[in-house]
Amino acid sequence: MSPSSSLVLTLLLASYFLIAQSVAAQQPASKEETGQGSTKASVPAPKAQTPPQTPLPSSHAFWDRTNILLFSGVGVFRGLDYASTRNFQARGREEVLIPDDVVNNSAGFAALEAAGTATSVGLSYWMHRIGHHKIERWISIVHIGVTGLGVARNYSLKSKHVAP
């Protein structure tokens, strides 16, 4: 059996079990499980009406002091990433994560860094709107941490220039 066919077989089996579990979860509960037992007259239970869904009240304003500081941190670290990437390119190193067409274009690379910041703010806003306030904060915290590690790595790379 080739590796690709065993992968396909594994995926098929996994999807079968996931589908079987979700179908079984949708079956109505038996009378013993609901505690109704056998009754002489089968009377349908009244359906509970669910109130219309309203947006969850937010526990804080989106543009509060903490988020402003976090978003500013993301912007500052994206700026540092731009500067550190330009620095290590000037020292003879090559960027391997982003195509040269983007990195060697000052406006394009600055726009990419700005888009990264805007994406972070947008994801945080989405998490705020659906009520995941801890994730809202952690998106910016993780973004700052990962970008900070990239900046430290860029500045710690040795130059490839040959001494005269």
Side-chain angles (χ1 to χ4, degrees), residues 22-70:
S22 65
V23 169
Q26 294 177 6
Q27 298 297 323
S30 67
K31 290 183 180 182
E32 291 86 24
E33 291 174 355
T34 59
Q36 291 180 351
S38 62
T39 58
K40 293 181 182 177
S42 174
V43 178
K47 292 185 178 180
Q49 293 182 351
T50 57
Q53 290 197 356
T54 57
L56 297 173
S58 61
S59 62
H60 63 90
F62 180 68
W63 290 105
D64 64 352
R65 183 177 190 277
T66 305
N67 271 351
I68 290 172
L69 290 173
L70 286 171

mmCIF file of all heavy atoms in Angstrom, residues 22-70:
data_model
loop_
_atom_site.group_PDB
_atom_site.id
_atom_site.type_symbol
_atom_site.label_atom_id
_atom_site.label_comp_id
_atom_site.label_asym_id
_atom_site.label_seq_id
_atom_site.Cartn_x
_atom_site.Cartn_y
_atom_site.Cartn_z
ATOM 1 N N SER A 22 -21.717 12.602 14.775
ATOM 2 C CA SER A 22 -22.604 13.756 14.692
ATOM 3 C C SER A 22 -24.030 13.332 14.376
ATOM 4 O O SER A 22 -24.980 13.936 14.852
ATOM 5 C CB SER A 22 -22.102 14.756 13.649
ATOM 6 O OG SER A 22 -22.151 14.180 12.355
ATOM 7 N N VAL A 23 -24.206 12.264 13.593
ATOM 8 C CA VAL A 23 -25.552 11.769 13.308
ATOM 9 C C VAL A 23 -26.165 11.167 14.562
ATOM 10 O O VAL A 23 -27.332 11.394 14.873
ATOM 11 C CB VAL A 23 -25.517 10.740 12.148
ATOM 12 C CG1 VAL A 23 -26.834 10.009 12.011
ATOM 13 C CG2 VAL A 23 -25.154 11.438 10.850
ATOM 14 N N ALA A 24 -25.386 10.405 15.328
ATOM 15 C CA ALA A 24 -25.895 9.802 16.550
ATOM 16 C C ALA A 24 -26.254 10.868 17.580
ATOM 17 O O ALA A 24 -27.191 10.710 18.355
ATOM 18 C CB ALA A 24 -24.875 8.835 17.130
ATOM 19 N N ALA A 25 -25.544 11.957 17.586
ATOM 20 C CA ALA A 25 -25.817 13.031 18.540
ATOM 21 C C ALA A 25 -27.123 13.743 18.217
ATOM 22 O O ALA A 25 -27.724 14.371 19.078
ATOM 23 C CB ALA A 25 -24.671 14.034 18.549
ATOM 24 N N GLN A 26 -27.603 13.615 16.983
ATOM 25 C CA GLN A 26 -28.823 14.299 16.581
ATOM 26 C C GLN A 26 -30.067 13.443 16.782
ATOM 27 O O GLN A 26 -31.175 13.906 16.529
ATOM 28 C CB GLN A 26 -28.720 14.723 15.118
ATOM 29 C CG GLN A 26 -27.656 15.762 14.895
ATOM 30 C CD GLN A 26 -27.510 16.129 13.436
ATOM 31 O OE1 GLN A 26 -28.274 15.678 12.601
ATOM 32 N NE2 GLN A 26 -26.545 16.957 13.134
ATOM 33 N N GLN A 27 -29.925 12.198 17.220
ATOM 34 C CA GLN A 27 -31.068 11.332 17.453
ATOM 35 C C GLN A 27 -31.832 11.802 18.681
ATOM 36 O O GLN A 27 -31.238 12.253 19.648
ATOM 37 C CB GLN A 27 -30.604 9.878 17.659
ATOM 38 C CG GLN A 27 -29.885 9.281 16.459
ATOM 39 C CD GLN A 27 -30.797 9.193 15.251
ATOM 40 O OE1 GLN A 27 -31.984 8.910 15.377
ATOM 41 N NE2 GLN A 27 -30.239 9.452 14.087
ATOM 42 N N PRO A 28 -33.167 11.703 18.655
ATOM 43 C CA PRO A 28 -33.933 12.121 19.831
ATOM 44 C C PRO A 28 -33.654 11.189 21.009
ATOM 45 O O PRO A 28 -33.377 10.012 20.834
ATOM 46 C CB PRO A 28 -35.394 12.018 19.369
ATOM 47 C CG PRO A 28 -35.380 11.131 18.178
ATOM 48 C CD PRO A 28 -34.022 11.256 17.555
ATOM 49 N N ALA A 29 -33.727 11.717 22.205
ATOM 50 C CA ALA A 29 -33.478 10.943 23.410
ATOM 51 C C ALA A 29 -34.597 9.925 23.605
ATOM 52 O O ALA A 29 -35.760 10.182 23.285
ATOM 53 C CB ALA A 29 -33.388 11.862 24.617
ATOM 54 N N SER A 30 -34.237 8.759 24.140
ATOM 55 C CA SER A 30 -35.245 7.741 24.399
ATOM 56 C C SER A 30 -36.098 8.158 25.596
ATOM 57 O O SER A 30 -35.728 9.030 26.373
ATOM 58 C CB SER A 30 -34.573 6.388 24.665
ATOM 59 O OG SER A 30 -33.868 6.458 25.879
ATOM 60 N N LYS A 31 -37.230 7.486 25.774
ATOM 61 C CA LYS A 31 -38.147 7.845 26.863
ATOM 62 C C LYS A 31 -37.525 7.572 28.224
ATOM 63 O O LYS A 31 -37.807 8.266 29.181
ATOM 64 C CB LYS A 31 -39.465 7.082 26.705
ATOM 65 C CG LYS A 31 -40.266 7.563 25.523
ATOM 66 C CD LYS A 31 -41.581 6.858 25.429
ATOM 67 C CE LYS A 31 -42.362 7.369 24.221
ATOM 68 N NZ LYS A 31 -43.666 6.741 24.111
ATOM 69 N N GLU A 32 -36.654 6.550 28.314
ATOM 70 C CA GLU A 32 -36.017 6.272 29.594
ATOM 71 C C GLU A 32 -35.050 7.395 29.964
ATOM 72 O O GLU A 32 -34.891 7.744 31.118
ATOM 73 C CB GLU A 32 -35.255 4.935 29.550
ATOM 74 C CG GLU A 32 -36.144 3.713 29.466
ATOM 75 C CD GLU A 32 -36.540 3.368 28.025
ATOM 76 O OE1 GLU A 32 -35.802 3.764 27.093
ATOM 77 O OE2 GLU A 32 -37.566 2.730 27.827
ATOM 78 N N GLU A 33 -34.351 7.955 28.937
ATOM 79 C CA GLU A 33 -33.379 9.011 29.205
ATOM 80 C C GLU A 33 -34.061 10.303 29.629
ATOM 81 O O GLU A 33 -33.530 11.075 30.405
ATOM 82 C CB GLU A 33 -32.518 9.262 27.965
ATOM 83 C CG GLU A 33 -31.573 8.115 27.646
ATOM 84 C CD GLU A 33 -30.847 8.331 26.331
ATOM 85 O OE1 GLU A 33 -31.141 9.316 25.633
ATOM 86 O OE2 GLU A 33 -29.992 7.509 25.997
ATOM 87 N N THR A 34 -35.249 10.562 29.111
ATOM 88 C CA THR A 34 -35.940 11.802 29.455
ATOM 89 C C THR A 34 -36.759 11.667 30.718
ATOM 90 O O THR A 34 -37.269 12.653 31.235
ATOM 91 C CB THR A 34 -36.866 12.246 28.307
ATOM 92 O OG1 THR A 34 -37.814 11.209 28.058
ATOM 93 C CG2 THR A 34 -36.066 12.573 27.064
ATOM 94 N N GLY A 35 -36.927 10.431 31.231
ATOM 95 C CA GLY A 35 -37.655 10.210 32.477
ATOM 96 C C GLY A 35 -39.167 10.193 32.280
ATOM 97 O O GLY A 35 -39.919 10.263 33.228
ATOM 98 N N GLN A 36 -39.630 10.071 31.023
ATOM 99 C CA GLN A 36 -41.067 10.080 30.791
ATOM 100 C C GLN A 36 -41.660 8.685 30.910
ATOM 101 O O GLN A 36 -42.827 8.540 31.220
ATOM 102 C CB GLN A 36 -41.364 10.664 29.407
ATOM 103 C CG GLN A 36 -41.064 12.140 29.331
ATOM 104 C CD GLN A 36 -41.359 12.697 27.949
ATOM 105 O OE1 GLN A 36 -41.632 11.950 27.019
ATOM 106 N NE2 GLN A 36 -41.296 14.000 27.835
ATOM 107 N N GLY A 37 -40.897 7.638 30.640
ATOM 108 C CA GLY A 37 -41.433 6.279 30.714
ATOM 109 C C GLY A 37 -42.569 6.110 29.723
ATOM 110 O O GLY A 37 -42.752 6.878 28.805
ATOM 111 N N SER A 38 -43.383 5.096 29.924
ATOM 112 C CA SER A 38 -44.505 4.885 28.996
ATOM 113 C C SER A 38 -45.743 5.575 29.553
ATOM 114 O O SER A 38 -46.073 5.455 30.724
ATOM 115 C CB SER A 38 -44.761 3.382 28.829
ATOM 116 O OG SER A 38 -45.124 2.825 30.069
ATOM 117 N N THR A 39 -46.408 6.317 28.727
ATOM 118 C CA THR A 39 -47.655 6.984 29.107
ATOM 119 C C THR A 39 -48.752 6.464 28.216
ATOM 120 O O THR A 39 -48.507 6.023 27.098
ATOM 121 C CB THR A 39 -47.539 8.512 28.950
ATOM 122 O OG1 THR A 39 -47.214 8.801 27.595
ATOM 123 C CG2 THR A 39 -46.463 9.072 29.862
ATOM 124 N N LYS A 40 -50.000 6.512 28.720
ATOM 125 C CA LYS A 40 -51.125 6.000 27.947
ATOM 126 C C LYS A 40 -51.428 6.905 26.774
ATOM 127 O O LYS A 40 -51.662 6.441 25.676
ATOM 128 C CB LYS A 40 -52.353 5.850 28.843
ATOM 129 C CG LYS A 40 -52.178 4.784 29.897
ATOM 130 C CD LYS A 40 -53.411 4.654 30.724
ATOM 131 C CE LYS A 40 -53.193 3.607 31.811
ATOM 132 N NZ LYS A 40 -54.322 3.488 32.689
ATOM 133 N N ALA A 41 -51.454 8.181 26.993
ATOM 134 C CA ALA A 41 -51.758 9.102 25.911
ATOM 135 C C ALA A 41 -50.482 9.865 25.551
ATOM 136 O O ALA A 41 -49.822 10.417 26.412
ATOM 137 C CB ALA A 41 -52.835 10.091 26.333
ATOM 138 N N SER A 42 -50.167 9.837 24.313
ATOM 139 C CA SER A 42 -48.969 10.530 23.858
ATOM 140 C C SER A 42 -49.334 11.965 23.503
ATOM 141 O O SER A 42 -50.024 12.218 22.528
ATOM 142 C CB SER A 42 -48.395 9.804 22.643
ATOM 143 O OG SER A 42 -47.328 10.535 22.129
ATOM 144 N N VAL A 43 -48.918 12.877 24.363
ATOM 145 C CA VAL A 43 -49.198 14.293 24.147
ATOM 146 C C VAL A 43 -47.891 14.957 23.740
ATOM 147 O O VAL A 43 -46.887 14.847 24.461
ATOM 148 C CB VAL A 43 -49.751 14.947 25.433
ATOM 149 C CG1 VAL A 43 -49.997 16.425 25.224
ATOM 150 C CG2 VAL A 43 -50.990 14.227 25.895
ATOM 151 N N PRO A 44 -47.874 15.619 22.615
ATOM 152 C CA PRO A 44 -46.626 16.272 22.218
ATOM 153 C C PRO A 44 -46.295 17.404 23.182
ATOM 154 O O PRO A 44 -47.164 18.147 23.619
ATOM 155 C CB PRO A 44 -46.906 16.802 20.813
ATOM 156 C CG PRO A 44 -48.396 16.865 20.702
ATOM 157 C CD PRO A 44 -48.934 15.824 21.640
ATOM 158 N N ALA A 45 -45.034 17.486 23.521
ATOM 159 C CA ALA A 45 -44.580 18.532 24.432
ATOM 160 C C ALA A 45 -44.587 19.872 23.695
ATOM 161 O O ALA A 45 -44.285 19.930 22.508
ATOM 162 C CB ALA A 45 -43.174 18.220 24.919
ATOM 163 N N PRO A 46 -44.967 20.926 24.394
ATOM 164 C CA PRO A 46 -44.955 22.234 23.732
ATOM 165 C C PRO A 46 -43.520 22.638 23.418
ATOM 166 O O PRO A 46 -42.597 22.392 24.196
ATOM 167 C CB PRO A 46 -45.585 23.182 24.762
ATOM 168 C CG PRO A 46 -45.401 22.494 26.064
ATOM 169 C CD PRO A 46 -45.410 21.017 25.764
ATOM 170 N N LYS A 47 -43.343 23.238 22.254
ATOM 171 C CA LYS A 47 -42.007 23.662 21.850
ATOM 172 C C LYS A 47 -41.663 24.960 22.553
ATOM 173 O O LYS A 47 -42.467 25.878 22.624
ATOM 174 C CB LYS A 47 -41.950 23.867 20.340
ATOM 175 C CG LYS A 47 -42.077 22.575 19.568
ATOM 176 C CD LYS A 47 -41.893 22.823 18.102
ATOM 177 C CE LYS A 47 -41.985 21.520 17.343
ATOM 178 N NZ LYS A 47 -41.821 21.703 15.918
ATOM 179 N N ALA A 48 -40.478 24.989 23.077
ATOM 180 C CA ALA A 48 -40.021 26.203 23.748
ATOM 181 C C ALA A 48 -39.623 27.223 22.695
ATOM 182 O O ALA A 48 -38.922 26.909 21.748
ATOM 183 C CB ALA A 48 -38.831 25.895 24.639
ATOM 184 N N GLN A 49 -40.127 28.414 22.871
ATOM 185 C CA GLN A 49 -39.771 29.462 21.929
ATOM 186 C C GLN A 49 -38.494 30.119 22.408
ATOM 187 O O GLN A 49 -38.346 30.461 23.575
ATOM 188 C CB GLN A 49 -40.888 30.493 21.840
ATOM 189 C CG GLN A 49 -42.153 29.940 21.217
ATOM 190 C CD GLN A 49 -43.210 31.019 21.105
ATOM 191 O OE1 GLN A 49 -43.058 32.102 21.636
ATOM 192 N NE2 GLN A 49 -44.284 30.705 20.418
ATOM 193 N N THR A 50 -37.574 30.260 21.481
ATOM 194 C CA THR A 50 -36.312 30.905 21.825
ATOM 195 C C THR A 50 -36.436 32.391 21.519
ATOM 196 O O THR A 50 -37.008 32.777 20.497
ATOM 197 C CB THR A 50 -35.155 30.311 21.004
ATOM 198 O OG1 THR A 50 -35.451 30.449 19.620
ATOM 199 C CG2 THR A 50 -34.947 28.844 21.335
ATOM 200 N N PRO A 51 -35.942 33.217 22.407
ATOM 201 C CA PRO A 51 -36.007 34.656 22.154
ATOM 202 C C PRO A 51 -35.100 35.004 20.982
ATOM 203 O O PRO A 51 -34.127 34.297 20.709
ATOM 204 C CB PRO A 51 -35.503 35.281 23.455
ATOM 205 C CG PRO A 51 -34.677 34.216 24.081
ATOM 206 C CD PRO A 51 -35.289 32.910 23.640
ATOM 207 N N PRO A 52 -35.401 36.072 20.269
ATOM 208 C CA PRO A 52 -34.532 36.451 19.151
ATOM 209 C C PRO A 52 -33.135 36.790 19.679
ATOM 210 O O PRO A 52 -32.992 37.357 20.760
ATOM 211 C CB PRO A 52 -35.210 37.686 18.554
ATOM 212 C CG PRO A 52 -36.135 38.180 19.616
ATOM 213 C CD PRO A 52 -36.507 36.995 20.443
ATOM 214 N N GLN A 53 -32.148 36.388 18.893
ATOM 215 C CA GLN A 53 -30.783 36.597 19.348
ATOM 216 C C GLN A 53 -30.408 38.064 19.233
ATOM 217 O O GLN A 53 -30.644 38.705 18.221
ATOM 218 C CB GLN A 53 -29.816 35.751 18.540
ATOM 219 C CG GLN A 53 -29.958 34.285 18.850
ATOM 220 C CD GLN A 53 -28.746 33.512 18.363
ATOM 221 O OE1 GLN A 53 -27.872 34.066 17.746
ATOM 222 N NE2 GLN A 53 -28.722 32.231 18.663
ATOM 223 N N THR A 54 -29.874 38.567 20.303
ATOM 224 C CA THR A 54 -29.389 39.937 20.316
ATOM 225 C C THR A 54 -27.882 39.892 20.508
ATOM 226 O O THR A 54 -27.350 38.934 21.072
ATOM 227 C CB THR A 54 -30.019 40.745 21.470
ATOM 228 O OG1 THR A 54 -29.725 40.074 22.700
ATOM 229 C CG2 THR A 54 -31.519 40.862 21.297
ATOM 230 N N PRO A 55 -27.170 40.891 20.046
ATOM 231 C CA PRO A 55 -25.726 40.873 20.246
ATOM 232 C C PRO A 55 -25.374 40.841 21.728
ATOM 233 O O PRO A 55 -26.060 41.440 22.551
ATOM 234 C CB PRO A 55 -25.240 42.174 19.610
ATOM 235 C CG PRO A 55 -26.412 42.780 18.920
ATOM 236 C CD PRO A 55 -27.634 42.052 19.340
ATOM 237 N N LEU A 56 -24.320 40.111 22.025
ATOM 238 C CA LEU A 56 -23.885 40.004 23.411
ATOM 239 C C LEU A 56 -23.367 41.353 23.902
ATOM 240 O O LEU A 56 -22.688 42.068 23.164
ATOM 241 C CB LEU A 56 -22.758 38.967 23.524
ATOM 242 C CG LEU A 56 -23.133 37.540 23.154
ATOM 243 C CD1 LEU A 56 -21.889 36.676 23.157
ATOM 244 C CD2 LEU A 56 -24.148 37.002 24.140
ATOM 245 N N PRO A 57 -23.707 41.718 25.115
ATOM 246 C CA PRO A 57 -23.166 42.981 25.622
ATOM 247 C C PRO A 57 -21.657 42.839 25.835
ATOM 248 O O PRO A 57 -21.183 41.835 26.342
ATOM 249 C CB PRO A 57 -23.895 43.177 26.953
ATOM 250 C CG PRO A 57 -24.303 41.808 27.358
ATOM 251 C CD PRO A 57 -24.543 41.043 26.079
ATOM 252 N N SER A 58 -20.922 43.824 25.395
ATOM 253 C CA SER A 58 -19.473 43.740 25.533
ATOM 254 C C SER A 58 -19.078 44.148 26.948
ATOM 255 O O SER A 58 -19.697 44.998 27.568
ATOM 256 C CB SER A 58 -18.788 44.636 24.508
ATOM 257 O OG SER A 58 -19.154 45.968 24.718
ATOM 258 N N SER A 59 -18.029 43.501 27.420
ATOM 259 C CA SER A 59 -17.591 43.804 28.773
ATOM 260 C C SER A 59 -16.699 45.042 28.807
ATOM 261 O O SER A 59 -16.374 45.531 29.870
ATOM 262 C CB SER A 59 -16.843 42.612 29.360
ATOM 263 O OG SER A 59 -15.683 42.346 28.604
ATOM 264 N N HIS A 60 -16.307 45.530 27.646
ATOM 265 C CA HIS A 60 -15.486 46.737 27.572
ATOM 266 C C HIS A 60 -15.642 47.338 26.180
ATOM 267 O O HIS A 60 -16.068 46.667 25.250
ATOM 268 C CB HIS A 60 -14.010 46.418 27.851
ATOM 269 C CG HIS A 60 -13.401 45.483 26.844
ATOM 270 N ND1 HIS A 60 -12.792 45.932 25.700
ATOM 271 C CD2 HIS A 60 -13.338 44.137 26.800
ATOM 272 C CE1 HIS A 60 -12.359 44.894 25.000
ATOM 273 N NE2 HIS A 60 -12.690 43.791 25.650
ATOM 274 N N ALA A 61 -15.291 48.580 26.048
ATOM 275 C CA ALA A 61 -15.309 49.230 24.739
ATOM 276 C C ALA A 61 -14.128 48.699 23.926
ATOM 277 O O ALA A 61 -13.069 48.377 24.483
ATOM 278 C CB ALA A 61 -15.198 50.740 24.903
ATOM 279 N N PHE A 62 -14.308 48.589 22.627
ATOM 280 C CA PHE A 62 -13.237 48.036 21.798
ATOM 281 C C PHE A 62 -11.994 48.915 21.844
ATOM 282 O O PHE A 62 -10.877 48.425 21.969
ATOM 283 C CB PHE A 62 -13.711 47.866 20.353
ATOM 284 C CG PHE A 62 -12.660 47.313 19.443
ATOM 285 C CD1 PHE A 62 -12.214 46.009 19.593
ATOM 286 C CD2 PHE A 62 -12.090 48.091 18.460
ATOM 287 C CE1 PHE A 62 -11.227 45.489 18.773
ATOM 288 C CE2 PHE A 62 -11.105 47.585 17.631
ATOM 289 C CZ PHE A 62 -10.681 46.284 17.783
ATOM 290 N N TRP A 63 -12.172 50.219 21.744
ATOM 291 C CA TRP A 63 -11.031 51.137 21.750
ATOM 292 C C TRP A 63 -10.715 51.600 23.178
ATOM 293 O O TRP A 63 -10.545 52.785 23.433
ATOM 294 C CB TRP A 63 -11.282 52.329 20.837
ATOM 295 C CG TRP A 63 -11.266 51.947 19.397
ATOM 296 C CD1 TRP A 63 -12.333 51.809 18.581
ATOM 297 C CD2 TRP A 63 -10.123 51.619 18.608
ATOM 298 N NE1 TRP A 63 -11.930 51.415 17.332
ATOM 299 C CE2 TRP A 63 -10.575 51.294 17.319
ATOM 300 C CE3 TRP A 63 -8.751 51.560 18.871
ATOM 301 C CZ2 TRP A 63 -9.707 50.915 16.305
ATOM 302 C CZ3 TRP A 63 -7.902 51.187 17.843
ATOM 303 C CH2 TRP A 63 -8.378 50.871 16.580
ATOM 304 N N ASP A 64 -10.610 50.649 24.096
ATOM 305 C CA ASP A 64 -10.230 51.020 25.458
ATOM 306 C C ASP A 64 -8.709 51.175 25.539
ATOM 307 O O ASP A 64 -7.982 50.960 24.568
ATOM 308 C CB ASP A 64 -10.751 50.000 26.472
ATOM 309 C CG ASP A 64 -10.158 48.613 26.299
ATOM 310 O OD1 ASP A 64 -9.454 48.376 25.301
ATOM 311 O OD2 ASP A 64 -10.399 47.765 27.169
ATOM 312 N N ARG A 65 -8.225 51.573 26.702
ATOM 313 C CA ARG A 65 -6.803 51.868 26.873
ATOM 314 C C ARG A 65 -5.930 50.656 26.562
ATOM 315 O O ARG A 65 -4.886 50.778 25.907
ATOM 316 C CB ARG A 65 -6.558 52.359 28.299
ATOM 317 C CG ARG A 65 -5.141 52.769 28.566
ATOM 318 C CD ARG A 65 -4.998 53.329 29.992
ATOM 319 N NE ARG A 65 -3.712 53.942 30.200
ATOM 320 C CZ ARG A 65 -2.612 53.278 30.513
ATOM 321 N NH1 ARG A 65 -2.647 51.969 30.670
ATOM 322 N NH2 ARG A 65 -1.469 53.922 30.688
ATOM 323 N N THR A 66 -6.351 49.474 27.008
ATOM 324 C CA THR A 66 -5.548 48.267 26.797
ATOM 325 C C THR A 66 -5.412 47.954 25.315
ATOM 326 O O THR A 66 -4.304 47.666 24.837
ATOM 327 C CB THR A 66 -6.188 47.074 27.535
ATOM 328 O OG1 THR A 66 -6.348 47.413 28.909
ATOM 329 C CG2 THR A 66 -5.347 45.833 27.411
ATOM 330 N N ASN A 67 -6.521 48.001 24.574
ATOM 331 C CA ASN A 67 -6.441 47.705 23.151
ATOM 332 C C ASN A 67 -5.622 48.751 22.404
ATOM 333 O O ASN A 67 -4.881 48.405 21.484
ATOM 334 C CB ASN A 67 -7.837 47.595 22.540
ATOM 335 C CG ASN A 67 -8.388 46.185 22.620
ATOM 336 O OD1 ASN A 67 -7.684 45.255 22.986
ATOM 337 N ND2 ASN A 67 -9.650 46.028 22.288
ATOM 338 N N ILE A 68 -5.759 50.011 22.782
ATOM 339 C CA ILE A 68 -4.962 51.046 22.118
ATOM 340 C C ILE A 68 -3.473 50.773 22.323
ATOM 341 O O ILE A 68 -2.678 50.865 21.377
ATOM 342 C CB ILE A 68 -5.360 52.449 22.628
ATOM 343 C CG1 ILE A 68 -6.759 52.808 22.110
ATOM 344 C CG2 ILE A 68 -4.344 53.500 22.205
ATOM 345 C CD1 ILE A 68 -7.338 54.074 22.698
ATOM 346 N N LEU A 69 -3.092 50.398 23.536
ATOM 347 C CA LEU A 69 -1.688 50.073 23.797
ATOM 348 C C LEU A 69 -1.241 48.825 23.035
ATOM 349 O O LEU A 69 -0.136 48.789 22.474
ATOM 350 C CB LEU A 69 -1.452 49.886 25.297
ATOM 351 C CG LEU A 69 -1.536 51.154 26.144
ATOM 352 C CD1 LEU A 69 -1.458 50.811 27.628
ATOM 353 C CD2 LEU A 69 -0.436 52.126 25.765
ATOM 354 N N LEU A 70 -2.096 47.809 22.997
ATOM 355 C CA LEU A 70 -1.744 46.587 22.272
ATOM 356 C C LEU A 70 -1.607 46.854 20.775
ATOM 357 O O LEU A 70 -0.661 46.386 20.133
ATOM 358 C CB LEU A 70 -2.779 45.493 22.535
ATOM 359 C CG LEU A 70 -2.718 44.834 23.903
ATOM 360 C CD1 LEU A 70 -3.933 43.935 24.127
ATOM 361 C CD2 LEU A 70 -1.432 44.038 24.069
#
